[in-house]
Amino acid sequence: MKAQHDRAGRGGAVWVLVITSVAGFMAALDNLVVTTALPSIRESLGGGLEELEWTVNAYTLTFAVLLMLGAALGDRFGRRRLFMSGLALFTAASAAAALSPGIEELIAFRAVQGVGAAVMMPLTLTLIGAAIPAERRGAALGIFGAVTGVAVASGPLIGGTLTEHISWQWIFWLNVPIGLVLLPLARLRLTESYAPKAPLDIRGTVLVSAGLFGIVYALVNTASHGWTSPVVLTGLIAGAAVLGLFVRHGLRAAHPMLPMWLFRGRAFLGINAASLLMFLGMFGSIFLLSQFLQSGLGYSPTEAGLRMLPWTGMPILVAPVAGLLSDRFGGRPVVVTGLALQAVGLALFALIIDPGMSYAAQLPALIIGGVGMALYFAPAASLVLSAVRPEEQGIASGANNALREVGGALGVSVLAAVFAARGGYGSPRLFVDGTAPALWIGAGAVVLGALAALLIPARRAAGHRSPDQGERPGPDGDREEGRDPGQRKARDPEEPGPHPVAV
C-alpha cells in the first residue's frame, strides 16, 4: 500500500514539474521572443522607436512591479487558483496581441501579458516545493531552471523563425494552444495550498509602479521631445520622487513588498545591484543588436536569431562549468569575471560594428559575451539566497527577480534614447551611428555591475557566519540578533517559500 502511495506521489510530482516548467518556459520566452520580430512589427503596424520600446517594456515593467504582489495573492487566495488565473490571463492576452490591429493595441495587450506572467510565475516554485519532497527538490529545480534557460536562449531564434516562415503574430499565437492544454491539467493535477497570513502591500505596489512608469516614460520620449523638455523632465523628477517615497515606505512599513533593510547587507546589496546593471546593459543591447542584424546587415529574422545563439545560448553549454567553478572558488569571483567578460563582449562589438561587417568579425564578441552571461547566471541565484536567512529567501528571490526585470526595462529605454540621439532607422549607416554609442553605455553599465559585485563578501570557511547574516537592524535602528523588523520570526510552514528566478 505504501509503495502504491509513493508511486502516486512520484507521478503527481512529475505532473507538477511538467506543468510549471512549461508555464515558466512561456513566460521566460516572451521576454526575448519579440526582439527579432521588431522590424516586421514596425513594418506591419507602423510606429517608431518609442512604440517598439513599449512593445518590450510594457511586458517587462508590469511583470517586474507586480511579481511580488502576485506571489502574495497566490499565498493568500490559493496558489493553484491564482496560478490558473495568471495562466488564463497570459493566454488570452497572447491571443489578443496576435489579433492587434495597431501598435497601440499590441502594447496594451503586452502589458496584460505581463500581468498574467507576474501572477503565474512566482507560484511555480511554490507549487514545486509543495509537491516534491525535499530530497528530490534540488533535481526538480535544476530541471525547471534548465527549461527557462532554454526559453531565454531560444527566444530570438523562435521569434525569428516564426516571423519569417509564418508571420510575427505567431510569436503570440504559439502561447494559446499551450495555455489551453495546461489549464485543465493544472486543474486536475495541481493541489491547492495557502498561506493565509501572507501580507499584501498595495501601497508599495502603486508607488513602485508609478515611479518606474514615470522614469521609463520620460526616457522613451527623449527622442521626440528632447532631454530638457517639460515632459521628460517632469517624468524623470516625478518618477524619482515617487521611487523615493517607495524606499521610505520600504523602510517604515511593517510588511513592505521590498524590505529596504535587506540592502544593508553587503552581499544582498552587491548581487542585486550587479543584477540590475547586468540586465540594463544586456537587455538594452539585445534590443538594438537583434534589429541591427536585420536592418543593418540584411539578415532574415531566422538568420538573425541563429546568429545570436553564441551569445544567448552560451549559458546552456557553460553553466555546468560555471557551477563547478563557483563551488570551488565561491560565487563572487565567478560573477565578477562573468560581468567583466560580458562588458568586454559589448565593448568589442561597439568597436567593430559596421554596416558591412562579416559574421566572422561578430563571432568573438558574441562568444565572449555569451561566456560572460553564463558565468554570471550560474551562481547568481545561489548568491541571492545565501545572502539572507532561510526564512527571508522568498522575499529575497522575488526582489532579485523584480530588479532584474526593472533593469531590462531601463536598459531598453536608456540605450534606445542614446540610439535615437545619435542615429536612427533611416539607413544602415545611421543605424550603426546610433547603436555603437549605445553599446558603449551598455558595456559601462555592466562594468559598474562588476564593481558592485565586489561588495559581496568573499566565501568564508565552513562554520563561519557571514556578517551579513548576523545582526539585523530593528525597525528603530537598534541591533537585534536574529530578529527582523516587525518582530520577525522563523517562517511558518504555511508562509510563502522561495519564488522562482524569472528570466
Side-chain angles (χ1 to χ4, degrees), residues 210-255:
L212 287 172
F213 178 81
I215 290 175
V216 171
Y217 181 81
L219 290 170
V220 168
N221 280 280
T222 56
S224 57
H225 292 82
W227 284 93
T228 58
S229 69
V231 170
V232 172
L233 290 177
T234 300
L236 291 174
I237 294 170
V242 174
L243 286 181
L245 293 176
F246 173 71
V247 172
R248 182 174 179 268
H249 171 76
L251 289 168
R252 297 193 172 192
H255 299 288

Side-chain angles (χ1 to χ4, degrees), residues 333-390:
V334 178
V335 163
V336 171
T337 302
L339 291 170
L341 288 176
Q342 177 69 92
V344 168
L346 293 177
L348 182 58
F349 216 115
L351 278 173
I352 63 173
I353 190 169
D354 186 81
M357 68 189 304
S358 66
Y359 185 61
Q362 305 166 38
L363 204 53
L366 294 171
I367 292 174
I368 292 171
V371 172
M373 187 189 298
L375 292 177
Y376 158 78
F377 275 130
S382 176
L383 284 171
V384 170
L385 298 182
S386 64
V388 297
R389 296 184 180 89

Side-chain angles (χ1 to χ4, degrees), residues 289-356:
L289 287 177
S290 61
Q291 296 180 75
F292 165 71
L293 293 177
Q294 297 176 68
S295 301
L297 297 181
Y299 294 130
S300 70
T302 303
E303 291 170 338
L306 280 170
R307 280 161 174 76
M308 290 187 73
L309 277 179
W311 184 13
T312 60
M314 190 61 69
I316 297 175
L317 301 177
V318 179
V321 177
L324 293 174
L325 292 173
S326 179
D327 290 340
R328 180 164 185 178
F329 300 108
R332 183 178 75 165
V334 178
V335 163
V336 171
T337 302
L339 291 170
L341 288 176
Q342 177 69 92
V344 168
L346 293 177
L348 182 58
F349 216 115
L351 278 173
I352 63 173
I353 190 169
D354 186 81

